[in-house]
């Protein structure tokens, strides 16, 4: 069925390619598909199935097909699958309504809900999408806390996204100041594109000489719609409704160094409109040219001591005596050319670790900010870094200067283009995209902004000194310390969280997994947090419940089952310290690596069942200890392969039960009686022991949830240890302490002429007469 579906999409693609030419541009279709992935209930961002799609330039229509298929045939009811879509970075979601950390800013992404019974699908169409990477995430509703054992059948749903695009391949290019004649019909808009260079401060697109091509009174009223930009779900294009024969759209602070899409649509039915379109941009803000020599930059990277001293002195003079700038290295702030309106500071891009980047101004951490020109810092952010958190910490340096209460340093962090005119009323926003504004002053000398999953583009930080009065008096330059860096998680997820690195094919991203009831993007939401007393109670229950193995150990030793007693001791020890290390929060004690403790706990638990049931089989010592060793080695191997697999527990139990039943049946047939022959053994020991084991296994598999875990799992420890006391067979008649048979004894024997008087354990087979 899937093959037929793909063939159908290919037919649609070929049809669109063949018949999609509207006389102005040619369209082609492209298809991309991702493999189906099993969905999980949402507990943290690691439960989201994330897929990345790339949409090329000049895409007219993007069409997603989302399919969800149920994996099992039994009735699971109806579940809603939530699908999130975002451009430029993974979606920042909050399905459970938790509180975000302080100073963390985020914008909701587009979310779709797909009800699923057995098989469901839905489509999502997007006209004129922004080019670049698009991210699709899907998950089931919030996790109910039930712990599902691996290997048991459960309700499983598989999510598969597919993308079909329709792309223009010969879009006309709108040149600066050059008129271009175009036509637009109701179903065939005019599509153009223009390039916006770096440092462009404004852009205008004008439509003139509009005519409908038909005579009449309405020939000069074209009713056009002019759209500039693309659709990114969070931000849309700038739209201007034109009436008459001309109109224009003006963008202040357009996106730099990018292609801008221009679409002109006709609003008149069954009429083709002809018009001329022209674009003009203004580059009114260029920094001072640095020339072609790179020696100064190399010296900055090398950390030349003479340069560092000069820079430090210059920064000091900039703060204390702003009118005394004469040194060439410090003078750009006051000696900008007439065509420049910004002081651009070069930034060092340093990769520290995976999802860990740091940006540092090459002139040092202190950056001078003036009231006459904005200070600009540029931070290129590539797609590999969008899976982390962008952090901005802006600190006012008040060491050598005191800023008045009426003055402040205003900062704007914006993507794609900077905001070059900052004042108290100017919003931190460019023509097409929003920014994030902060300010520092004498009363609030530090500001912090955190952006989870920042979009892949060039980010710009603009700084300027703002005074409420007409001028700032004698203080025209202040020093601030902007710290911009990428971290994997917000403050490393705090005390009650762990930052984990996730992967979707070749794309890496990070998220916080919280513990002890804490929640949120940075594990800072304490609305459902566990108190310390509850954490301590959980730790004590899960660890002290293992002391119920002590009666089993005592019984095994008194009946001379020393090997079995050593296995129970091993299980008790590592189960105690594994659960002491496994607990979230503050009540934690780890005596060795967590993974090693978990492995030993699982190994000891399964080996306890193995040796107990084999001991009940009453087989010969040689055969029994051979099975002990062989089974322990096979169990250790299976634990290494799949530690939490269901058959790692059921396999040894079923094999040992099969051996036990075989030996019991053999002895029953040989003795012509039920084995064990005593009804007291069945009623007082075997049946209670089996009931304890069955109840414990049922609790372990079906009843455990995250809320009652420390109750049910502690009861599991008690029941398993109790069933061992009931199921261990009585002491064998020919077995003494430490497993030695009657042929050996520590008692004193008299010696006669160097010979020992020995007692034969063999029976008399004949009589001497």
């Amino acid at each position: 069925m899937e093959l037929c579906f793909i063939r159908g999409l290919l037919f649609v693609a070929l049809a669109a390619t063949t018949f999609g030419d509207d006389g102005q541009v040619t369209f082609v279709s492209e298809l991309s598909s991702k493999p189906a992935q099993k969905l999980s209930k949402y507990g943290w961002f690691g439960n989201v199935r994330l897929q990345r799609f790339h949409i090329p330039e000049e895409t007219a229509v993007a069409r997603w097909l989302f399919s969800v298929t149920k994996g099992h045939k039994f009735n699971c009811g109806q579940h809603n699958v939530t699908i999130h879509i975002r451009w430029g970075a993974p979606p920042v979601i909050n399905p459970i309504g938790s509180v975000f950390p302080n100073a963390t800013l985020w914008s909701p992404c587009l979310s779709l809900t797909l009800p699923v019974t057995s098989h469901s699908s839905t489509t999502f169409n997007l006209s004129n999408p922004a080019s670049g990477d698009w991210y699709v995430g899907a998950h089931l509703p919030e996790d109910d806390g039930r712990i599902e054992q691996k290997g048991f059948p459960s309700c499983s749903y598989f999510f598969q996204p597919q993308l079909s695009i329709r792309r223009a391949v010969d879009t006309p290019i709108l040149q600066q100041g050059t008129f271009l004649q175009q036509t637009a019909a109701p179903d065939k808009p005019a599509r153009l594109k223009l390039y916006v260079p770096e440092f462009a401060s404004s852009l205008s697109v004008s439509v003139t000489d509009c005519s409908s091509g038909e005579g009449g009174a309405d020939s000069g009223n074209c009713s056009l719609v002019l759209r500039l930009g693309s659709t990114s779900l969070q931000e849309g294009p700038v739209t201007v409704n034109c009436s008459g024969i001309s109109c224009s759209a003006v963008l202040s602070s357009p996106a730099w160094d990018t292609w801008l899409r221009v679409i002109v649509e006709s609003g008149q039915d069954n009429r083709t409109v002809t018009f001329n379109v022209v674009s003009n941009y203004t580059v009114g803000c260029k920094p001072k040219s640095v020339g072609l020599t790179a020696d100064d930059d190399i010296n900055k990277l090398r950390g030349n001591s003479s340069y560092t001293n000069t820079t430090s002195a210059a920064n000091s003079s900039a703060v204390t005596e702003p009118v005394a700038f004469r040194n060439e290295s410090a003078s750009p702030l006051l000696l900008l050319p007439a065509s420049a309106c910004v002081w651009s500071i070069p930034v060092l891009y340093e990769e520290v670790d995976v999802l860990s980047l740091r940006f540092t101004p090459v002139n040092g951490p202190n950056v001078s900010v003036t009231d006459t020109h904005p200070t600009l810092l540029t931070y290129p952010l590539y797609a590999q870094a969008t899976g982390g958190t962008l952090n901005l910490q802006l600190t006012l340096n008040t060491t050598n200067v005191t800023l008045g209460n009426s003055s402040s340093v205003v900062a704007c962090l914006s993507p794609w283009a900077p905001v070059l005119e900052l004042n108290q009323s100017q919003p931190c926003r460019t023509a097409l995209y929003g920014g994030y504004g902060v300010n520092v002053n004498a009363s609030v000398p530090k500001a912090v902004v955190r952006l989870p999953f920042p979009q892949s583009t060039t980010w710009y930080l603009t700084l300027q000194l703002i005074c409420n009065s007409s001028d700032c008096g004698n203080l025209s330059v202040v020093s601030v310390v902007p710290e911009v860096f990428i971290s994997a998680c917000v403050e490393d997820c705090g005390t009650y969280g762990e930052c984990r690195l996730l992967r979707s094919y070749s794309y890496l991203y990070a998220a916080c997994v919280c513990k002890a009831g804490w929640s949120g993007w940075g594990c800072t939401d304490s609305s459902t947090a566990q108190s310390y007393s509850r954490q301590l109670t959980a730790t004590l229950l899960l660890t002290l419940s293992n002391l119920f193995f002590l009666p089993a150990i005592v019984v095994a030793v008194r009946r001379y089952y020393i090997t079995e007693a050593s296995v129970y001791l091993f299980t008790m020890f590592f189960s105690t310290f594994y659960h002491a290390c496994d607990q979230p929060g503050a009540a934690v004690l780890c005596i060795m690596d967590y993974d090693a403790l978990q492995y030993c706990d699982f190994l000891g638990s399964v080996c306890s069942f193995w040796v107990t049931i084999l001991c009940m089989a009453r087989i010969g010592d040689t055969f029994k200890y051979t099975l002990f060793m062989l089974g322990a080695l096979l169990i250790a191997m299976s634990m290494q392969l799949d530690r939490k697999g269901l058959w790692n527990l059921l396999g040894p139990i079923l094999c040992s039960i099969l051996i036990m039943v075989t030996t019991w049946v053999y002895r029953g047939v040989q003795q012509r009686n039920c084995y064990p022959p005593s009804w007291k053994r069945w009623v007082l020991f075997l049946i209670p022991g089996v009931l304890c084991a069955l109840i414990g296994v049922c609790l372990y598999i079906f009843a455990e949830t995250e809320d009652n875990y420390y109750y049910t799992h502690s009861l599991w420890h008690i029941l398993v240890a109790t069933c061992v006391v009931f199921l261990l067979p009585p002491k064998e008649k020919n077995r003494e302490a430490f497993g030695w048979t009657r042929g050996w004894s520590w008692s004193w024997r008299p010696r006669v002429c160097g010979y020992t008087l020995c007692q034969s354990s063999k029976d008399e087979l004949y009589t001497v007469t």
Side-chain angles (χ1 to χ4, degrees):
M1 181 177 180
E2 183 178 357
L3 182 60
C4 295
F5 173 74
I6 295 179
R7 287 178 179 174
L9 284 181
L10 288 175
F11 174 78
V12 173
L14 292 176
T17 305
T18 305
F19 304 107
D21 192 354
D22 61 2
Q24 289 182 311
V25 295
T26 302
F27 293 95
V28 297
S29 293
E30 298 178 2
L31 298 174
S32 59
S33 178
K34 301 295 182 180
Q37 289 185 323
K38 185 178 179 180
L39 294 176
S40 300
K41 294 182 178 180
Y42 184 83
W44 64 296
F45 198 82
N47 301 128
V48 178
R49 297 296 171 259
L50 188 66
Q51 301 281 12
R52 181 172 61 163
F53 293 89
H54 182 75
I55 293 183
E57 294 277 357
E58 305 172 13
T59 299
V61 177
R63 178 187 177 92
W64 275 278
L65 175 64
F66 303 121
S67 302
V68 179
T69 306
K70 191 173 71 171
H72 294 281
K73 300 300 182 183
F74 56 86
N75 185 23
C76 295
Q78 178 176 316
H79 291 278
N80 293 330
V81 176
T82 306
I83 303 170
H84 308 276
I85 308 174
R86 190 187 179 200
W87 170 59
V92 182
I93 62 176
N94 189 20
I96 58 179
S98 57
V99 179
F100 274 73
N102 294 331
T104 301
L105 305 179
W106 65 291
S107 299
C109 59
L110 176 67
S111 298
L112 306 174
T113 301
L114 178 60
V116 179
T117 53
S118 60
H119 177 82
S120 300
S121 62
T122 186
T123 57
F124 175 71
N125 298 330
L126 187 63
S127 300
N128 305 315
S131 61
D133 291 334
W134 286 75
Y135 296 81
V136 176
H139 60 85
L140 291 172
E142 183 181 356
D143 191 2
D144 55 3
R146 191 170 66 90
I147 300 176
E148 296 182 355
Q149 300 301 325
K150 186 176 180 180
F152 275 94
S154 60
C155 295
S156 58
Y157 296 89
F158 294 88
F159 172 73
Q160 183 177 23
Q162 295 173 320
L163 174 65
S164 173
I165 65 172
R166 190 168 181 253
R167 178 172 61 89
V169 295
D170 53 358
T171 304
I173 299 176
L174 192 59
Q175 301 288 346
Q176 160 86 345
T178 302
F179 285 88
L180 189 63
Q181 186 176 13
Q182 294 288 301
T183 59
D187 56 343
K188 295 179 181 179
R191 299 179 180 274
L192 306 98
K193 64 178 182 180
L194 60 91
Y195 180 75
V196 182
E198 198 170 4
F199 304 112
S201 57
S202 64
L203 170 71
S204 65
V205 177
S206 302
V207 174
T208 61
D209 302 330
C210 174
S211 64
S212 61
E214 299 179 5
D218 294 337
S219 61
N221 187 5
C222 300
S223 182
L224 295 176
V225 178
L226 177 62
R227 304 183 190 276
L228 303 182
S230 304
T231 303
S232 62
L233 298 182
Q234 291 179 318
E235 303 286 348
V238 174
T239 303
V240 176
N241 293 318
C242 301
S243 60
I245 61 174
S246 64
C247 70
S248 62
V250 179
L251 301 182
S252 178
S253 300
W256 285 2
D257 191 20
T258 186
W259 289 95
L260 184 68
R261 181 176 303 177
V262 179
I263 299 177
V264 183
E265 301 175 352
S266 175
Q268 298 185 4
D269 297 335
N270 301 324
R271 298 177 67 180
T272 300
V273 179
T274 303
F275 57 90
N276 291 327
V277 59
V278 64
S279 68
N280 289 282
Y281 58 81
T282 302
V283 181
C285 220
K286 280 187 177 181
K288 181 180 179 181
S289 177
V290 296
L292 299 177
T293 303
D295 294 340
D296 294 339
D297 295 333
I298 295 297
N299 291 333
K300 295 174 184 178
L301 294 177
R302 287 177 177 175
N304 190 294
S305 59
S306 60
Y307 175 82
T308 304
N309 294 336
T310 303
T311 305
S312 301
N315 287 340
S316 177
S317 62
V319 174
T320 56
E321 299 176 5
V323 297
F325 278 96
R326 293 296 180 266
N327 189 291
E328 185 177 356
S329 63
S331 59
L333 205 130
L334 295 182
L335 300 179
L336 289 173
S339 62
C341 63
V342 62
W343 183 33
S344 182
I345 298 179
V347 175
L348 175 64
Y349 177 93
E350 181 182 6
E351 296 186 8
V352 181
D353 202 347
V354 179
L355 290 181
S356 180
L357 307 175
R358 183 167 294 276
F359 300 92
T360 307
V362 295
N363 291 337
N366 291 298
V367 173
S368 299
V369 180
T370 181
D371 62 331
T372 56
H373 298 89
T375 301
L376 180 64
L377 294 93
T378 305
Y379 305 102
L381 199 60
Y382 305 107
Q384 295 83 354
T386 57
T389 301
L390 177 62
N391 301 270
L392 167 64
Q393 296 181 5
L394 190 65
T395 306
L396 179 64
N397 191 347
T398 58
T399 304
N400 299 321
V401 66
T402 301
L403 193 64
N405 294 329
S406 62
S407 304
S408 63
V409 175
V410 179
C412 178
L413 181 66
S414 58
W416 283 279
V419 177
L420 297 178
E421 295 181 3
L422 291 176
N423 52 55
Q424 297 288 1
S425 60
Q426 178 75 18
C428 180
R429 179 179 178 83
T430 60
L432 299 174
Y433 306 102
Y436 305 92
V438 296
N439 64 81
V440 290
N441 50 41
S443 59
V444 184
K446 184 176 182 179
V448 178
V449 172
R450 302 185 183 95
L451 303 178
F453 295 159
Q455 292 176 301
S456 175
T457 183
T458 300
W459 290 76
Y460 299 90
L461 178 63
T462 308
L463 304 167
Q464 191 166 357
L465 177 61
I466 303 297
C467 303
N468 289 336
S469 57
S470 59
D471 56 64
C472 294
N474 295 329
L475 184 65
S476 60
V477 177
V478 295
S479 179
V480 296
V481 180
E483 298 180 55
V484 177
F485 59 95
I486 296 290
S487 61
C489 298
V490 177
E491 292 188 342
D492 202 22
C493 302
T495 306
Y496 295 95
E498 178 184 355
C499 185
R500 292 188 181 180
L501 188 65
L502 307 172
R503 182 174 64 89
S504 175
Y505 301 97
S506 61
Y507 180 75
L508 297 177
Y509 57 103
C512 291
V513 55
C514 307
K515 52 188 179 181
W518 290 74
S519 60
W521 196 264
C523 299
T524 55
D525 189 349
S526 60
S527 57
T528 59
Q530 298 178 4
S531 62
Y532 178 76
S533 60
R534 183 178 178 182
Q535 298 175 30
L536 184 60
T537 301
T539 304
L540 293 177
L541 281 176
L542 289 170
T543 53
L544 298 182
S545 60
N546 288 283
L547 296 179
F548 278 80
F549 274 97
L550 288 176
I553 296 172
V554 172
V555 170
V557 171
R558 289 181 61 86
R559 297 177 183 179
Y560 305 142
Y561 296 120
I562 307 303
T563 304
E564 292 82 346
S566 63
V567 174
Y568 303 149
L569 180 63
F570 178 89
T571 303
M572 181 186 71
F573 178 83
F574 281 103
S575 179
T576 299
F577 286 101
Y578 163 65
H579 285 292
C581 184
D582 184 54
Q583 293 309 300
V588 180
L589 174 64
C590 296
I591 63 172
M592 62 176 66
D593 184 65
Y594 174 82
D595 188 71
L597 288 172
Q598 186 188 66
Y599 180 84
C600 293
D601 173 52
F602 286 22
L603 177 64
S605 301
V606 179
C607 286
S608 297
F609 284 103
W610 175 253
V611 300
T612 301
I613 300 175
L614 287 181
C615 183
M616 296 170 60
R618 292 282 197 173
I619 56 180
D621 287 349
T622 302
F623 188 40
K624 182 176 75 170
Y625 292 122
T626 301
L627 289 178
F628 277 5
M629 286 300 301
L630 181 61
L633 294 175
L634 292 177
I635 292 170
M637 179 196 68
S638 64
M639 287 293 172
Q640 182 64 28
L641 294 176
D642 187 7
R643 190 172 302 176
K644 296 183 179 180
L646 175 65
W647 287 102
N648 287 338
L649 176 63
L650 294 183
I653 292 178
L654 294 179
C655 289
S656 58
I657 290 177
L658 179 62
I659 296 173
M660 182 190 70
V661 171
T662 302
T663 57
W664 283 13
V665 170
Y666 174 77
R667 290 183 179 180
V669 172
Q670 191 178 40
Q671 298 176 6
R672 297 184 179 180
N673 193 7
C674 181
Y675 187 87
S678 174
W679 65 270
K680 293 183 179 180
R681 183 68 189 168
W682 283 95
V683 174
L684 300 180
F685 295 96
L686 293 181
I687 294 178
V690 171
L691 288 177
C692 288
L694 289 177
I695 295 173
V697 170
C698 291
L699 285 176
Y700 179 79
I701 295 176
F702 302 109
E704 285 188 355
T705 64
E706 294 181 357
D707 293 332
N708 66 10
Y709 175 77
Y710 56 95
Y711 294 120
T712 55
H713 202 76
S714 300
L715 190 57
W716 151 262
H717 291 163
I718 296 172
L719 291 173
V720 169
T722 304
C723 80
V724 171
V725 176
F726 283 105
L727 295 178
L728 273 179
K731 181 178 66 172
E732 298 180 10
K733 294 181 179 180
N734 61 343
R735 181 180 295 272
E736 296 183 359
F738 306 108
W740 282 298
T741 57
R742 291 183 178 179
W744 297 84
S745 177
W746 290 98
S747 61
W748 177 83
R749 297 295 186 192
R751 293 178 177 270
V752 179
C753 299
Y755 293 92
T756 303
L757 298 178
C758 299
Q759 179 182 1
S760 178
S761 61
K762 294 183 179 180
D763 296 334
E764 290 281 347
L765 300 180
Y766 58 90
T767 304
V768 179
T769 57

